[in-house]
Amino acid sequence: YGWRPAVALVVLVAFPTFVMIYSKVRPIRAQRPNQRMRSRLKLSDIVGFIIRPSIAFTMVITIIATSILQGTISFLPTFLINQHHYSATIAGILFGIFFIVMGIGQIGVGSISDTYGRDVSISGCMILGSIGFGVLVYGNQFLVVGGGIILVGIGLSFNAALHPRFLDVMSNSEQTRGFGLVRT
């Protein structure tokens, strides 16, 4: 259909979203309007927070996993076209399935994370993702590659366990600035 219908669909979704946000979200008053943000942040506090073992370990895992996620998002369609010789349409459909699985997978990973623990969920995601990547590289049949897409999608749903892992090791007073810092 070309690129024009894609842009039209984005507008159809974006415009009502903008209207809803504009009509429903109200501004909040600043708690300290006369105090500069920079005066509230000290480099020594930031460094001390980041090098805390529980934070540093989770940050390393997050950096690695997010890099894998970004690489997958950037190159999965190209990989499917070049490795498996799928058409751009089939690669795009599989890419869409990957995102749907990730969206649904985050619900399951979050639930498992709350029930069985963050580390169990994160480890499970890494194992399933690794198996899925192996299937994508070495699988030859379409259904096998589809299974690999599903495993990778579930594996890359790790954020639903990693983000709460950060919050678990932060005090209530650290959560606002600390979570923003580690997400940045």
Side-chain angles (χ1 to χ4, degrees):
Y1 296 103
W3 62 270
R4 287 177 179 86
V7 172
L9 286 174
V10 169
V11 170
L12 285 173
V13 172
F15 184 73
T17 303
F18 172 77
V19 170
M20 285 189 296
I21 290 171
Y22 187 78
S23 66
K24 300 292 181 190
V25 176
R26 298 289 171 237
I28 57 173
R29 294 185 340 112
Q31 293 178 351
R32 300 178 200 138
N34 298 325
Q35 184 182 19
R36 294 186 59 169
M37 181 65 117
R38 187 170 289 179
S39 68
R40 294 176 47 203
L41 300 174
K42 295 179 184 164
L43 185 58
S44 61
D45 292 343
I46 293 171
V47 171
F49 178 78
I50 289 174
I51 64 170
R52 188 185 318 159
S54 58
I55 298 293
F57 177 75
T58 307
M59 280 183 68
V60 168
I61 302 267
T62 302
I63 290 166
I64 293 167
T66 303
S67 296
I68 293 167
L69 173 61
Q70 187 59 49
T72 304
I73 289 170
S74 298
F75 298 111
L76 183 59
T78 302
F79 170 81
L80 293 170
I81 291 167
N82 289 329
Q83 175 73 12
H84 296 289
H85 308 292
Y86 294 148
S87 68
T89 302
I90 297 297
I93 290 169
L94 289 171
F95 191 53
I97 291 169
F98 162 75
F99 274 102
I100 291 169
V101 170
M102 262 186 43
I104 294 169
Q106 288 191 24
I107 297 167
V109 169
S111 179
I112 291 168
S113 172
D114 291 341
T115 305
Y116 298 104
R118 313 295 184 218
D119 294 345
V120 169
S121 299
I122 295 165
S123 299
C125 284
M126 299 305 157
I127 290 167
L128 289 176
S130 297
I131 293 168
F133 281 119
V135 168
L136 286 179
V137 170
Y138 296 109
N140 290 324
Q141 297 175 332
F142 183 76
L143 290 177
V144 172
V145 172
I149 292 286
I150 290 170
L151 290 174
V152 169
I154 294 168
L156 294 180
S157 301
F158 60 84
N159 277 329
L162 270 172
H163 291 165
R165 190 178 198 286
F166 278 119
L167 294 173
D168 290 345
V169 298
M170 292 180 198
S171 68
N172 288 341
S173 63
E174 292 175 321
Q175 287 185 358
T176 302
R177 281 187 287 169
F179 190 67
L181 176 65
V182 297
R183 287 289 296 142
T184 301

